[in-house]
Amino acid sequence: MALIISWIFILGLVVPDLSSSLLHCPHRCHCDDDKLDVNCEEGHLDVLPIALNPSIQRLVIKNNKIRIIDSSIQFYSELTLLDLSFNYLFNIPDRTFGHQRKLQQLHLNHNKISTISNRTFVGLGELLVLNLRGNLIDQIDALTFTPLAKLEELNLGQNRIASVGLSVEAFVGVGDLKILLLDDNLLSVIPSEDTLRPVDKLAELYIGTNSLAGIEDGAFRVLSELTLLDLRGSLLPNVTEGTFGGIENLKSLNLADNRFQRVPTAALAVLRRLEELAIGQNHFETLPAHSFRGLSNLKRFELKGSLYLRRIERAAFQTNTNLESVVIESNKALTELEEETFAGLLYLKHLSLRNNGLERLDEGMFSWNSLRTVDISDNPINCDCYYSKLLLRLQTAARVSYNATGCPQHLPDQWECEYILEKNKNLISVVVPLVAIVTAIALAFYRFRGLLREYVKNGCKSKAAAAAAAATSSVTPAGGTGLPTVLPPLGHGRAELSTVLHGDYEKPLSDDDYFIRSSNLYHGSATQPILNGYPLYLQQNPNVYYNKPLPMTEL
């Protein structure tokens, strides 16, 4: 009996604690009465629990099946954070949060909410963060957020808000707003100055992933305190020199995933305080020299996923000497990175060239003064002595961590590279002089080609004249008649006959001429004496017996 009484006494001490915590905590929820925190993430709840500790301050019921926020929410008036994201909420009744006077964060993102009004958020005078991302909202009426006098962050991204659905007075009453997200909607133009003027203290504006045909000059000038502007994925063909007028204090700009044919150097030059720039996934093929002229305070640069980028010139970042982080990744067409591209960046700490089309890298490409991390993996690297030298430098630099994959395990070592270098030097020492000599000879021949032609021509004539003179002197009789005493036999060629008889006129006779003239050699008396195969009278005065003179021709 005494044992039973003891057990009852113990249960009496334990059960109250169980009833105050575990017994009132729904299945698959985590309840912490010390921290006043309840987390029911993925708890398969379809209604709000009503038996929780009324003093809780943080209530997270995300990834459940809740369709409506009923009156049970009024029992938790001490809440500072309420997260009902990723549920099935279709509508929020007016004044639902009328008792949450201390609520600072309300997350209703990724539900099915289609409408909100200026009565939806009544009572949330202390709210700092309102997240409505990923719903079906298509219209923001005037004064919708007026009850949220202290609101600092408003997320309306990934809805269906069109330009015509955004009232000019949509943001009246939230003058302390610092962060506004309107990205991934159906906006075709930047909201007007009148629309943005009530939130002129904005520090961050996300308005990308809209179909913006263009941006008028000075569209953001009322936001003089803006430090971050996100225009990614807006289908912008270009930006002009006046696009960023009035927001010269901007420190972060995202222009990725647009349609720029060239780097907007002139438009960016006014942003002299810019520290972060993302400009990947555009259509330009080259980063030319001084692409980011004027951005002397730029510290972080990112260029990812550009399908057309092929080349980065060595002076592209020459004026951006304060760069600390450069990320150039996943540009498959990028095959050319000029030497010393990053050599002047004395403060560069982090460099990523991962997953490009680079085949050649050199250790002189960048400065080693402040470098801490290097990623050159997933490139079709030409694993030659230059790359081996770069890897050796990375391995011996104790403060530099690197990632360099893509080469076979065996790379040429120092001795192999020195041998190859010496062999190339010897080959060059032979080839270069030989090429120089051949070139000099060819130039000399070309320079004196006229003189060489005259020399050859005159030499040939001199040889012919000398041969004729020799032949003539060998057959001239003592009487000095000038005729050969010994003529070639008749059976010899016609050319020899013509040459002997007519000196310089060395062209052979034609068939007709030879036939006529040779037949005339013997007409008249057939009894004339013949000497050495020719009639004597032909040897004395042969020109008398030709019917016509020989043709006068030149060489």
Side-chain angles (χ1 to χ4, degrees):
M1 178 64 69
L3 182 60
I4 294 175
I5 294 174
S6 300
W7 274 108
I8 292 174
F9 177 75
I10 294 173
L11 288 175
L13 295 175
V14 174
V15 168
D17 291 337
L18 293 174
S19 62
S20 65
S21 58
L22 298 177
L23 295 181
H24 299 295
C25 192
H27 181 58
R28 295 186 180 179
C29 293
H30 176 75
C31 304
D32 190 332
D33 284 342
D34 293 331
K35 296 182 179 180
L36 300 176
D37 188 354
V38 176
N39 191 327
C40 294
E41 188 172 351
E42 298 183 2
H44 301 286
L45 299 176
D46 54 6
V47 294
L48 285 173
I50 60 175
L52 299 174
N53 186 340
S55 299
I56 59 173
Q57 296 180 1
R58 297 172 57 89
L59 177 58
V60 178
I61 312 180
K62 63 189 300 186
N63 286 309
N64 282 276
K65 300 178 181 180
I66 297 175
R67 296 178 179 274
I68 189 170
I69 304 175
D70 54 31
S71 58
S72 61
I73 192 67
Q74 65 183 331
F75 296 112
Y76 309 115
S77 59
E78 300 296 320
L79 285 176
T80 59
L81 181 146
L82 176 60
D83 189 345
L84 291 169
S85 59
F86 294 93
N87 278 284
Y88 295 92
L89 296 173
F90 287 92
N91 188 29
I92 302 176
D94 293 347
R95 304 179 185 277
T96 296
F97 307 104
H99 294 83
Q100 271 65 52
R101 303 292 179 178
K102 298 181 180 180
L103 197 63
Q104 296 181 356
Q105 296 187 44
L106 176 59
H107 299 273
L108 300 172
N109 50 297
H110 296 93
N111 281 281
K112 308 293 182 182
I113 301 170
S114 58
T115 59
I116 54 176
S117 69
N118 58 354
R119 295 180 298 276
T120 303
F121 306 109
V122 171
L124 298 177
E126 297 294 321
L127 196 67
L128 301 176
V129 177
L130 175 59
N131 190 348
L132 292 166
R133 187 177 191 84
N135 282 284
L136 305 175
I137 301 170
D138 58 4
Q139 186 169 336
I140 304 295
D141 296 328
L143 310 178
T144 295
F145 306 108
T146 300
L148 311 176
K150 295 184 178 180
L151 193 65
E152 295 183 358
E153 179 177 338
L154 175 59
N155 192 339
L156 294 170
Q158 204 174 340
N159 279 281
R160 300 179 178 180
I161 304 170
S163 295
V164 295
L166 188 63
S167 171
V168 175
E169 298 181 341
F171 304 118
V172 171
V174 286
D176 290 335
L177 197 66
K178 298 293 189 298
I179 302 173
L180 175 61
L181 293 92
L182 287 168
D183 60 299
D184 201 1
N185 276 282
L186 302 177
L187 299 175
S188 57
V189 295
I190 301 296
S192 66
E193 288 188 22
D194 293 335
T195 305
L196 296 175
R197 187 170 285 111
V199 290
D200 57 359
K201 295 181 181 179
L202 269 183
E204 300 181 12
L205 175 60
Y206 300 82
I207 200 167
T209 323
N210 284 284
S211 299
L212 302 176
I215 301 178
E216 295 183 1
D217 289 352
F220 306 105
R221 60 188 167 197
V222 297
L223 306 177
S224 58
E225 298 184 20
L226 201 65
T227 59
L228 183 150
L229 178 59
D230 191 327
L231 291 168
R232 80 182 80 181
S234 297
L235 305 180
L236 291 171
N238 62 355
V239 286
T240 64
E241 294 186 33
T243 298
F244 305 117
I247 56 173
E248 288 80 6
N249 292 323
L250 202 67
K251 293 185 178 181
S252 180
L253 177 62
N254 194 330
L255 294 175
D257 195 14
N258 281 285
R259 297 180 176 178
F260 300 142
Q261 298 293 330
R262 59 182 60 86
V263 178
T265 303
L268 295 173
V270 301
L271 305 175
R272 300 190 178 277
R273 297 187 180 182
L274 196 68
E275 296 180 1
E276 299 180 357
L277 175 63
I279 199 168
Q281 290 180 269
N282 277 284
H283 293 182
F284 45 79
E285 298 183 2
T286 304
L287 281 189
H290 310 110
S291 290
F292 311 105
R293 181 178 61 250
L295 306 184
S296 57
N297 288 312
L298 194 64
K299 294 181 179 179
R300 287 169 289 279
F301 176 81
E302 179 181 295
L303 200 164
K304 293 182 178 180
S306 290
L307 299 178
Y308 305 95
L309 182 65
R310 301 180 183 279
R311 182 167 175 257
I312 297 179
E313 295 184 2
R314 72 175 61 187
F317 303 103
Q318 190 173 39
T319 59
N320 316 116
T321 54
N322 286 309
L323 271 172
E324 297 178 1
S325 175
V326 174
V327 177
I328 301 175
E329 297 179 352
S330 302
N331 307 290
K332 288 298 187 180
L334 178 59
T335 58
E336 186 174 355
L337 202 63
E338 290 192 359
E339 293 183 7
E340 302 181 358
T341 301
F342 312 108
L345 308 180
L346 302 180
Y347 302 103
L348 186 63
K349 297 179 181 178
H350 310 287
L351 174 64
S352 178
L353 299 174
R354 183 175 61 85
N355 197 28
N356 294 299
L358 299 174
E359 299 179 356
R360 177 74 174 271
L361 292 171
D362 194 288
E363 66 165 339
M365 188 173 293
F366 37 77
S367 173
W368 294 86
N369 292 356
S370 303
L371 204 59
R372 294 295 181 271
T373 63
V374 178
D375 190 346
I376 53 177
S377 60
D378 300 323
N379 281 280
I381 298 291
N382 183 7
C383 302
D384 55 9
C385 288
Y386 290 98
Y387 186 64
S388 179
K389 192 175 182 181
L390 172 62
L391 287 184
L392 181 62
R393 181 67 181 271
L394 289 172
Q395 291 168 0
T396 55
R399 66 177 183 272
V400 179
S401 61
Y402 70 96
N403 185 10
T405 60
C407 273
Q409 293 182 353
H410 174 71
L411 287 171
D413 57 25
Q414 181 180 359
W415 298 108
E416 290 177 301
C417 291
E418 290 180 358
Y419 172 75
I420 294 172
L421 180 62
E422 188 66 25
K423 183 177 179 181
N424 291 339
K425 285 183 179 179
N426 293 336
L427 181 61
I428 291 173
S429 64
V430 174
V431 172
V432 170
L434 183 60
V435 171
I437 293 172
V438 172
T439 303
I441 293 174
L443 290 174
F445 270 103
Y446 181 78
R447 175 68 178 81
F448 300 104
R449 63 188 184 282
L451 295 175
L452 290 172
R453 189 182 298 115
E454 288 294 328
Y455 175 77
V456 172
K457 183 176 180 180
N458 293 335
C460 292
K461 287 184 177 181
S462 299
K463 290 181 180 179
T472 303
S473 61
S474 64
V475 297
T476 302
T481 61
L483 293 175
T485 57
V486 179
L487 293 177
L490 289 177
H492 283 208
R494 304 162 189 171
E496 289 86 345
L497 177 62
S498 176
T499 300
V500 172
L501 296 178
H502 302 288
D504 291 338
Y505 302 106
E506 297 175 0
K507 182 177 180 181
L509 299 177
S510 67
D511 291 339
D512 293 339
D513 290 339
Y514 184 81
F515 176 77
I516 294 173
R517 296 174 190 180
S518 60
S519 61
N520 288 337
L521 293 177
Y522 300 96
H523 79 284
S525 175
T527 61
Q528 297 292 334
I530 295 176
L531 178 64
N532 294 328
Y534 287 89
L536 184 60
Y537 60 81
L538 178 61
Q539 301 179 37
Q540 295 173 351
N541 193 6
N543 290 330
V544 177
Y545 298 95
Y546 282 87
N547 293 328
K548 58 181 177 179
L550 291 175
M552 302 292 291
T553 59
E554 297 180 358
L555 292 177

